C-alpha cells in the first residue's frame, strides 16, 4: 500500500508514466478485491456447514456476511433511519406503529409551532442564522466520492480533464482502496478465527460471529450494558480512575438536581395562570421529558430482571451484585429526580421561551452521565477509562424473554410514572383555573403628587374571576363609600395592568384608563406582579407613589371594613386638637389657632370621608372659620373663605356657620369622578403628610404638616410643599388617665379636663409656667431650661424674682423669709461662697448695755447686689444673737461683675464685729467638690454698715481650660498671673470662650509673659495671638518670640514660668533688656526650641539643668547677664547644639567633660567668667568646632590635643593661667586664622612645626614666658600674617631677615623682650602695610633706618628704651598719619627738625632721654 501511495511522488517522473503506474495499481487492487470476494464466499460456505442445525441461523449469518462484505467492499448499502418517521411508510395504515409515528410527529410540530408563536408574540430577540451582514449562509454541497471499481478504472480516460486533477483523483482512489484492503484483511482474519472455533452451541457461535461483525441484537434477544457512567460503578474496580469518574459524575448530577428542587420548593412561584399555547407546550414538554428518560427505563429493567449478571460478572473483575444493584438504584433515583425537576420547571414556566430554556437545562444535566461516558470512550478521561468504556460497549448478554405481566413490569411501572406526572400537571391546571394561587384581597395605596384625590381610592380590592378557564381576573374596590375603582388587565399595543373608576364600563376600561402600569407584562395574571412598577396617569405623568400588598385571610375583616383604615373604630376619636407646646404652630401672615374642637351640627359630630372635621378656636372676621378636614389622603387646614367661589360669596354663605361649611364641603366633592373640592388660588392652607391605612388614626394627631403651594393656572388644589415644613404637631386635648394623661402630674377628672399642678396650664396642663418670674422646682431641669431661668438670679425676669424664697441662710433658720435663689441648678451658673462669722458682746442681750441708738438689735442684713441693685442674689436678715461661722453659696452668672456685699442695720457699732471671706467656688469643707476654689477677699472688723466690692468672677470656661496650668492660689492675688487672668476674662466678656483648649493655654501663657516682663508696650490685643507684633506662628501656634530692647523699649520685669506652656516655640530671642530674676526651669519643657537667647539682660541665678531636655536646641545665647554657678553637665545632652555663648557672666567651676559629646558645636564662647580648672581633654573631640573663646577666666594647665579640630579657625584663650609649652598639635589646624594665647604662663620657644599654619592671620602670644629667638618661618610661612604680638616675653636675638616678607603686617608688637641687633633697612622696607610698630624695651642698636618713611600707613610707633643712635631720619616726619611717637631713652642726636610740624595728627610725642640739641621748632605747636 505504501508503494502505491508513493506512486507519482517523484517530481522528475513523466506524467504519463505516473498515470500508467496508478492505473496498474488500481487494476491490481481490483484483482485483490475479487480474490477477497472468493475468500469470503469460501468462508461463507464454512459458516453454512457449521450452522446446518439451524436454517434460520444460517440465513442470518449469510445476510450478515453479505451485508458486511458489500458495505466494506462497495460501501453502497444504507439502512433506514432509526426514528418514528420510518413507521409512517413501513407500517400498515391504522396500525399501532403508524399511530405512534403520527402522534409523535404531531407533538413535535405542535411544540415547535408554540415556541415560534411565543417568540413572535413576546417580541424576543431572534437568533440570526446569517453572517454579520445579515445574509443567510448557504450550505456548501457535500463532496461526492465514487467508490465503484469500474469507475476507478476509468479515471484518466477523459482526455479533456486536467492532468493534475486526474492525478489527485487517482491518488484519492488509491488511498480509499488501501483502506478497503485493510478492512477486508481484518474481516478475513476475524472470519478465519470464527471458523476455527468450535462451539458446542451453534446458536452461541452465531451470536459471537455477529458480535465480531458489530451487528448487535440481530434477533433482538441480546442486550448490552447502558452507555453511561453508572456502568462504571459496578464494572470498575474500587478506587480505580473509572470508579472515581462514575462517583464524581453521579454526585454532580444529584447535587445539581437537589439545588434545582430546593430552589423551586423555596420560591414556590407557580404561575397564577398561563396562556393556552403555553399550557399545550407544557403538556408536550412533559411527554418529551418522559420519553427522553432512558435512565428510568434502563434502571427499572435492570433492577426487576437482573439480566446478564453472570456474563457481566465473568467479563469484569470488580463486579459484584451489590454494586450492580446500588448503581442501578442510583440511576433510578437520578432519573426520577430529573423527571420531578423537569416537571416542576415546566409547570413553573409562564411562557414558551422560559419553558424551552428550563427544559433544555434539565435535559443537559440528565444526559451528563452519557456525555461523560462518551468522553471516556474517546480517551478524554484517560486510557483506563477508555478501555473500560470499550469493554462495556462490547459486553452483550441474553435477554430474558419473560411471558405475561412479569415480562412487562418495567413498562407498567414506567406508565404509572407517566400517569402520575400528568395527574400532577392536571392538579396545577385546576388550581390555576380556580384562581387559588391569586390573592383574594389586595390593598392599594395611591400617591398624590399630581392628583391628591387619588387617595380616596386607597383601600381594599376583592378579586373577581374571569369569564373563561384562562381569562384574567379583575379587582374591584370594597370600600365603596370612599371611592369605586377597578384593576383590569388590558391587551393591545401595551399589555399591562390598568386602573379606572367603576363608573367606566369594564369593556371600556382599557381604552379610558385613569392609571396604567408602565411595565409591559404579556404573561401576567397576578395583579401583584405590577406592585413594583411605575404607574402613570392617562396624561403620562407618574404618580408620586403606589403600593400593592396582599391581605392575609385572617386580616381581611380588620383591614377591609367600611371605615378607612380598618373596621369601625371601637375607641372614641379625639374631640379636641391642641398644638404641642414644643412646636411653634401654623405660621403665616396671619394668626392661627392652637386649639381645634370637633365640629358639631345639631349637637352631633359630623364627618367628611369618615373623618371628623375640626374648627379652630380663633376666627378671623374676613377669613371665617378655621377648618381641618380629611381630603382622601391628606389632612387640610384652611379657612372658610378659601372654600368659597364668587358665586358662593354672592349667595351669602355664612363664613362663621359650621353647618353651612359642612354642606359646602359635601356639595363640592364628587367621589365617583376623581374630583375633590377646590380652593381659590392663594388661599391660606397647610397640608399634612400622606396618610395610608397603616398610620391612619382617624385624626391628624402626630402628623407632620407642610406649607401649601399651587400648580399651574388650571390647578385648583394645593400641593404639600415638602421643602417648607410647618413647625406644627397636634396632640389630643381631652385627657384620659391611660391613653392621654394630663401632663406634669396633673390629675385627669371625670369630665376629661385636667387639674394642673406646678403652675402648668392648658387643656392637658401642657403649657409650662416657664419664665413667669416664679421658681417652680418641678420644671427646674435642663429640658425645661431650668424653669425658663426663673430659679437663678441672672436668668430670672420680673419683679418677683427670688422674693421670699430664702428660709435658711448661713446655717440659721430665718425669722422671716428673705430674697434669694436657693433652687438654682442651672449648670451655666457658677458658685460664689460667702464664709462669715460675727461676734457680739453678750452683755448687750443681758440688758447691761444698750446700743448707741437706745434701741434693740434684733437683726442685721447681709445683701449681695449687682448692677446697682438690678440683680440681688441674696438679701437676708441674720440674728446677731447667734454668732456662728457658716457659709452660704450663691449661684450667679458666669463672670458676674459690678457686684458688692453689704452689711446693713448694724445697731451696736461698739459691740458687733464681723469677718467674712469671698470664695470663687465652694467652701473648703464642701463635699463632692470637683471645681477648685479660690479666695477672692478676706475682710475683718466689720463693725458698722459697710459695702465691699466683689471682684469680677473669672469665666467658668477660662478656669476649666486653665485648671491644669494655673494655680488657683494666684486667682485674685494681684500677681502677674492674676493680671493675665483678668485680661483674658475681659476678652471673654467681649466674645466667646474658645473650645480649643490648647489655643487658650497658649494665649494665656503669652499674656502672662507680657504682664511679667514689664513691657512698656502693650503688644497683646484682642486679635489672634498670631497677629501680635512679637509673635510668629506656624499651624496657629506661636513658634517665635523676639524682643529687641533698643528698638521696641526695654523690658524691666521677669521671665514668667508660663513660658513652659508655649511648647511649640522654636525660637526665643529676647535681648538687650533689663529682665531680672532667674531663668525658670520650665524652659526645659520647650522641647521644640532651636534658639534660646536672653542675652544682655540682668538675669541671676544658675543655668537650669532642665536645658538638657531641649534636644532640638541649636543655639544657646545667655551672654551678658549675672548668671552664677557652673555650666550644667546636662548641656552635653544637646546633641544638635551648634553655638554656645555664655560670655560676660559670673559662671564658675570647670568646663564639664560632657561638652565633648557636642560633635555639632561650631562656636564655644565662654570668656569673661570665673571658670577654673584645666581644659578637658574631651574638647579635642568636638570635631565641628570653628571658634573657641575662653578668655578672661581662671583656666589652668596645658592645652589638650586639638589635632582633630581641623575646622578650627579661631582659638582665643588669653588671660587665663594656662601653662606648659606651646602645643605642637596646633600644627594640625590648617584653617587656623586667629590664635590668641596671651596673658598666660606658657614657656619654651615657638615650635618650628607651626610653620605649617599658612592660614594664620593673627598670632597673639604676649605676656607669657616664651624664650628663644624669633622663628625664621614667621617671615616665610606666614605671608598672610597681619598681626604678630609677642611682647612681654623673654625672646632674644635679632629680627630675622625673612620678616621683610611681612608685607601684610599691620601690627607688630615685639616690646619688652631681649631682642638685639640693628634694625635692618631692607627688612623695614618690606613692612608697607604696617599700622602699629612696637619695638620698645629691647636692646636694639644702630640707627633708625630712613626706610621708616616708607611706612606711610603707620599711626603708632614706639622704639623707646633701646640703644638706637644717630639722627632721627627726616623721612620719619613724612609719616603724617602718626598720632603716637615714642623714641625716649635712646641715644639719638642732632636737632629736632622743623619738619616735625608735618605730624598734624600727633597726640603723644616723647623724645626725652636722648642727646638731641638745638631749639624746639615752633612748628611743633
Amino acid at each position: 500500500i505504501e508503494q502505491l501511495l508513493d506512486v507519482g511522488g517523484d517530481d522528475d517522473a513523466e506524467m504519463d508514466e505516473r498515470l500508467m503506474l496508478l492505473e496498474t495499481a488500481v487494476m491490481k487492487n481490483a484483482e485483490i478485491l475479487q480474490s477477497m470476494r472468493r475468500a469470503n464466499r469460501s468462508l461463507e460456505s464454512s459458516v453454512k456447514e457449521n450452522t446446518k442445525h439451524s436454517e434460520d441461523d444460517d440465513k442470518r449469518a449469510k445476510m450478515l456476511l453479505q451485508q458486511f462484505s458489500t458495505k466494506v467492499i462497495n460501501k453502497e448499502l444504507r439502512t433506514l433511519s432509526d426514528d418514528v418517521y420510518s413507521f409512517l411508510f413501513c407500517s400498515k395504515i391504522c396500525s399501532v406503529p403508524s399511530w405512534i409515528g403520527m402522534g409523535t410527529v404531531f407533538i413535535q410540530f405542535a411544540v415547535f409551532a408554540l415556541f415560534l408563536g411565543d417568540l413572535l408574540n413576546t417580541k424576543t430577540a431572534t437568533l440570526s442564522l446569517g453572517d454579520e451582514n445579515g445574509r443567510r449562509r448557504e450550505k456548501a454541497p457535500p463532496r461526492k466520492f465514487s467508490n465503484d471499481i469500474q469507475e476507478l478504472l476509468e479515471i484518466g480516460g477523459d482526455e479533456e480533464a486536467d492532468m493534475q486533477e486526474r492525478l489527485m483523483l487517482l491518488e484519492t482512489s488509491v488511498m480509499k482502496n488501501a483502506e478497503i484492503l485493510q478492512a477486508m484483511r481484518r474481516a478475513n482474519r476475524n472470519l478465519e478465527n470464527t471458523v476455527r472455533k468450535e462451539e458446542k452451541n451453534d446458536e452461541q457461535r452465531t451470536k459471537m460471529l455477529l458480535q465480531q461483525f458489530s451487528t448487535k441484537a440481530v434477533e433482538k434477544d441480546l442486550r448490552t450494558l447502558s452507555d453511561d457512567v453508572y456502568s462504571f460503578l459496578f464494572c470498575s474496580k474500587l478506587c480505580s480512575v473509572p470508579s472515581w469518574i462514575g462517583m464524581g459524575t453521579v454526585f454532580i448530577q444529584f447535587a445539581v438536581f437537589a439545588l434545582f428542587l430546593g430552589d423551586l420548593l423555596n420560591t414556590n412561584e407557580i404561575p397564577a395562570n398561563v396562556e393556552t399555547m403555553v399550557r399545550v407546550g407544557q403538556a408536550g414538554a412533559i411527554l418529551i421529558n418522559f420519553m427522553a428518560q432512558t435512565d428510568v427505563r434502563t434502571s427499572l429493567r435492570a433492577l426487576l430482571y437482573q439480566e446478564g449478571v453472570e456474563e457481566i460478572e465473568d467479563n469484569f473483575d470488580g463486579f459484584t451484585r451489590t454494586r450492580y444493584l446500588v448503581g442501578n438504584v442510583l440511576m433510578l433515583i437520578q432519573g426520577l429526580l430529573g423527571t420531578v425537576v423537569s416537571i416542576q420547571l415546566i409547570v413553573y414556566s409562564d411562557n414558551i421561551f422560559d419553558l424551552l430554556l428550563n427544559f433544555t437545562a434539565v435535559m443537559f444535566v440528565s444526559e451528563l452521565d452519557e456525555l461523560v461516558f462518551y468522553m471516556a470512550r474517546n480517551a478524554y478521561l484517560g486510557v483506563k477509562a477508555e478501555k473500560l468504556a470499550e469493554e462495556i460497549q462490547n459486553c452483550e448478554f441474553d435477554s430474558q424473554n419473560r411471558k405475561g405481566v412479569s415480562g412487562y413490569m418495567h413498562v407498567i411501572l414506567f406508565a404509572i410514572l407517566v400517569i402520575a406526572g400528568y395527574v400532577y400537571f392536571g392538579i396545577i391546571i385546576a388550581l390555576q383555573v380556580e384562581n387559588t394561587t391569586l390573592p383574594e384581597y389586595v390593598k392599594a395605596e395611591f400617591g398624590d403628587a399630581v392628583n391628591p384625590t387619588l387617595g380616596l381610592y386607597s383601600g381594599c380590592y376583592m378579586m373577581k374571576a374571569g369569564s373563561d378557564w384562562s381569562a384574567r381576573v379583575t379587582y374591584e374596590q370594597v370600600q365603596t363609600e370612599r371611592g369605586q375603582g377597578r384593576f383590569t388587565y388590558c391587551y393591545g399595543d401595551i399589555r399591562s395592568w390598568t386602573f379606572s373608576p367603576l363608573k367606566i364600563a369594564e369593556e371600556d376600561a382599557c381604552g379610558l384608563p385613569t392609571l396604567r402600569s408602565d411595565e409591559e407584562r404579556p404573561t401576567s395574571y397576578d395583579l401583584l406582579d405590577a406592585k413594583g412598577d411605575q404607574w402613570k396617569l392617562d396624561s403620562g405623568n407618574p404618580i408620586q407613589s403606589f403600593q400593592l400588598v396582599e391581605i392575609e385571610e385572617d386580616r381581611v375583616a380588620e383591614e377591609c371594613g367600611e371605615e378607612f383604615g380598618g373596621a369601625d373604630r371601637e375607641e372614641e376619636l379625639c374631640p379636641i386638637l391642641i398644638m404641642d407646646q414644643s412646636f411653634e404652630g401654623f405660621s403665616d401672615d396671619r394668626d392661627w389657632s392652637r386649639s381645634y374642637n370637633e365640629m358639631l351640627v345639631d349637637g352631633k359630630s359630623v364627618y367628611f370621608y369618615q373623618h371628623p372635621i375640626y374648627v379652630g378656636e380663633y376666627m378671623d372676621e374676613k377669613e371665617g372659620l378655621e377648618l381641618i378636614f380629611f381630603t382622601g389622603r391628606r389632612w387640610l387646614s384652611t379657612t372658610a373663605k378659601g372654600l368659597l367661589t364668587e358665586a358662593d360669596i354672592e349667595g351669602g354663605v355664612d363664613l362663621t356657620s359650621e353647618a353651612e361649611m359642612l354642606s359646602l364641603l359635601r356639595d363640592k366633592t364628587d367621589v365617583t369622578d376623581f374630583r375633590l373640592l377646590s380652593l381659590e388660588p392663594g388661599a391660606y392652607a397647610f397640608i399634612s403628610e400622606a396618610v395610608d391605612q397603616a398610620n391612619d388614626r382617624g385624626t391628624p394627631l402626630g402628623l407632620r404638616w407642610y406649607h401649601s403651594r399651587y400648580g399651574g393656572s388650571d390647578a385648583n388644589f394645593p400641593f404639600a410643599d415638602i421643602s417648607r415644613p410647618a413647625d406644627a404637631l397636634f396632640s389630643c386635648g381631652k385627657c384620659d388617665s391611660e391613653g392621654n394623661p394630663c401632663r406634669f402630674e396633673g390629675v385627669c377628672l371625670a369630665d376629661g379636663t385636667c387639674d394642673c399642678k406646678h403652675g402648668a396650664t392648658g387643656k392637658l396642663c401642657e403649657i409650662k409656667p416657664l419664665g413667669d418670674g416664679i421658681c417652680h422646682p418641678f420644671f427646674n431641669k435642663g429640658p425645661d431650661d431650668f424653669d425658663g431661668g426663673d430659679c437663678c438670679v441672672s436668668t430670672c425676669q420680673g419683679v418677683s424674682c427670688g422674693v421670699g424664697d430664702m428660709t435658711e441662710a448661713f446655717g440659721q433658720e430665718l425669722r422671716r423669709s428673705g430674697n434669694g435663689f436657693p433652687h438654682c441648678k442651672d449648670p451655666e451658673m457658677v458658685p460664689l461662697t460667702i464664709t462669715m462669722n460675727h461676734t457680739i458682746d453678750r452683755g448687750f442681750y443681758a440688758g447691761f448695755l444698750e446700743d448707741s441708738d437706745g434701741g434693740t438689735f434684733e437683726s442685721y442684713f447681709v445683701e449681695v447686689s449687682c448692677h446697682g441693685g438690678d440683680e440681688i442674689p441674696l438679701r437676708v436678715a441674720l440674728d446677731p444673737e447667734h454668732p456662728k461661722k457658716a457659709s452660704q453659696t450663691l449661684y450667679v452668672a458666669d463672670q458676674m461683675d459690678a457686684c458688692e456685699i453689704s452689711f446693713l442695720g448694724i445697731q451696736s457699732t461698739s459691740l458687733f464685729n464681723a469677718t467674712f471671706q469671698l470664695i470663687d467656688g465652694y467652701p473648703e469643707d464642701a463635699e463632692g467638690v470637683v471645681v477648685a476654689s479660690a479666695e477672692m477677699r478676706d475682710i475683718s472688723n466689720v463693725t458698722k454698715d459697710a459695702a465691699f466690692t466683689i471682684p469680677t468672677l473669672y469665666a467658668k470656661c477660662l478656669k476649666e481650660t486653665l485648671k491644669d496650668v494655673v494655680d488657683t492660689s494666684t486667682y485674685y492675688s494681684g500677681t502677674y498671673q492674676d493680671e493675665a487672668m483678668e485680661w483674658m476674662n475681659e476678652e471673654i466678656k467681649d466674645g466667646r470662650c474658645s473650645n480649643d483648649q490648647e489655643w487658650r493655654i497658649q494665649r494665656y501663657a503669652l499674656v502672662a509673659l507680657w504682664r511679667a516682663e514689664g513691657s512698656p508696650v502693650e503688644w497683646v490685643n484682642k486679635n489672634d495671638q498670631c497677629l501680635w507684633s512679637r509673635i510668629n506662628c506656624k499651624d496657629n501656634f506661636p513658634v517665635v518670640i523676639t524682643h529687641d530692647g533698643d528698638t521696641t523699649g526695654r523690658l524691666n520685669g521677669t521671665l514668667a514660668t508660663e513660658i513652659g506652656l508655649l511648647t511649640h516655640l522654636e525660637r526665643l530671642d529676647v535681648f538687650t533688656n533689663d529682665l531680672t530674676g532667674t531663668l525658670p526651669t520650665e524652659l526645659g519643657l520647650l522641647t521644640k526650641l532651636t534658639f534660646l537667647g536672653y542675652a544682655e539682660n540682668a538675669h541671676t541665678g544658675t543655668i537650669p539643668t532642665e536645658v538638657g531636655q531641649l534636644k532640638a536646641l541649636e543655639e544657646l545665647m545667655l551672654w551678658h547677664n549675672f548668671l552664677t554657678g557652673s555650666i550644667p553637665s546636662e548641656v552635653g545632652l544637646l546633641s544638635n547644639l551648634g553655638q554656645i555663648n555664655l560670655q560676660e557672666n559670673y559662671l564658675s567651676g570647670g568646663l564639664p567633660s560632657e561638652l565633648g559629646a557636642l560633635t555639632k558645636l561650631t562656636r564655644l564662647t565662654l570668656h569673661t567668667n570665673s571658670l577654673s580648672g584645666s581644659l578637658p581633654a574631651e574638647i579635642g573631640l568636638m570635631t565641628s568646632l570653628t571658634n573657641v573663646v575662653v578668655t578672661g577666666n581662671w583656666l589652668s594647665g596645658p592645652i589638650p590635643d586639638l589635632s582633630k579640630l581641623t575646622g578650627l579657625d579661631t582659638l582665643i584663650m588669653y588671660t587665663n593661667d594656662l601653662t606648659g609649652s606651646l602645643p605642637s598639635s596646633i600644627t594640625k589646624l590648617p584653617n587656623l586664622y586667629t590664635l590668641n594665647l596671651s596673658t598666660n604662663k606658657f614657656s619654651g620657644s615657638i615650635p618650628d612645626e607651626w610653620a605649617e599654619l599658612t592660614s594664620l592671620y593673627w598670632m597673639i602670644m604676649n605676656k607669657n614666658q616664651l624664650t628663644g629667638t624669633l622663628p625664621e618661618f614667621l617671615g616665610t610661612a606666614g605671608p598672610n600674617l597681619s598681626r604678630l604680638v609677642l611682647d612681654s616675653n623673654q625672646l632674644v636675638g635679632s629680627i630675622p631677615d625673612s620678616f621683610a616678607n611681612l608685607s601684610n603686617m599691620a601690627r607688630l608688637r615685639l616690646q619688652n623682650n631681649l631682642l638685639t641687633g640693628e634694625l635692618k633697612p631692607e627688612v623695614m622696607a618690606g613692612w608697607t602695610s604696617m599700622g602699629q610698630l612696637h619695638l620698645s624695651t629691647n636692646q636694639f642698636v644702630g640707627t633708625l633706618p630712613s626706610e621708616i618713611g616708607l611706612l606711610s600707613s603707620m599711626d603708632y610707633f614706639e622704639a623707646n628704651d633701646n640703644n638706637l643712635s644717630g639722627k632721627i631720619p627726616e623721612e620719619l616726619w613724612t609719616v603724617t598719619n602718626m598720632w603716637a611717637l615714642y623714641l625716649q631713652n635712646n641715644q639719638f642726636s642732632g636737632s629736632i627738625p622743623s619738619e616735625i610740624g608735618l605730624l598734624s595728627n600727633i597726640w603723644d610725642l616723647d623724645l626725652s632721654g636722648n642727646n638731641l640739641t638745638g631749639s624746639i621748632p615752633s612748628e611743633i605747636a
Side-chain angles (χ1 to χ4, degrees), residues 181 271 373 381 408 552 616 626 657 693 702 784 792 890 934 937 969 993 1015 1041 1128 1139 1227 1340 1400 1419:
L181 286 174
F373 185 88
L381 302 179
Y408 292 93
E552 300 296 335
E626 289 182 16
S657 171
Q693 294 191 25
D784 297 322
C792 296
L890 315 179
R937 297 201 66 173
S969 63
C993 194
S1015 174
I1041 297 179
Q1139 291 193 53
T1227 307
F1340 291 116
S1400 58
E1419 288 80 4

Side-chain angles (χ1 to χ4, degrees), residues 793 806 809-810 814 818-821 832 834 836 859-878 888 890 892 896 898-906 916 918 942 944-950:
V793 62
M806 294 293 293
F810 294 100
L814 302 179
N819 297 346
F821 298 86
L832 172 66
I834 304 172
M836 192 182 69
S859 63
Y860 68 97
F861 289 90
V862 176
E863 179 182 275
V864 177
S865 62
C866 303
H867 304 292
D870 291 342
E871 295 181 9
I872 301 179
L874 180 70
R875 181 181 174 86
V876 293
L878 300 181
Q888 184 67 39
L890 315 179
V892 296
M896 184 192 74
C899 298
E900 62 181 14
I901 181 171
S902 302
F903 294 84
L904 306 173
I906 300 176
F916 73 91
L918 293 176
V942 179
K944 59 183 179 180
D945 291 359
F948 304 92
T949 302
I950 300 176

Side-chain angles (χ1 to χ4, degrees), residues 1300-1349:
N1301 298 320
L1302 299 179
S1303 58
N1304 292 320
M1305 184 66 68
R1307 183 176 297 183
L1308 178 62
R1309 295 180 59 176
L1310 300 176
Q1311 75 269 24
N1312 295 323
N1313 278 287
L1314 301 174
L1315 299 174
T1316 58
E1318 295 183 354
L1319 299 176
K1320 299 176 181 180
E1322 63 274 15
V1323 173
M1324 188 170 288
W1327 297 345
T1328 55
S1329 298
M1330 189 67 72
Q1332 293 187 15
L1333 180 60
H1334 300 259
L1335 302 175
S1336 64
T1337 317
N1338 278 288
Q1339 299 176 17
F1340 291 116
V1341 296
T1343 61
L1344 185 65
S1346 60
E1347 282 77 5
I1348 196 169

Side-chain angles (χ1 to χ4, degrees), residues 695-710:
N695 66 2
D696 179 42
R697 302 176 185 176
T699 66
L701 298 178
L703 298 180
R704 296 187 298 270
W705 288 81
Y706 303 94
H707 288 265
S708 61
R709 65 180 176 87
Y710 292 84

Side-chain angles (χ1 to χ4, degrees), residues 479 485 848 965 1075:
Q479 297 156 314
F848 299 108
V965 298
L1075 292 174

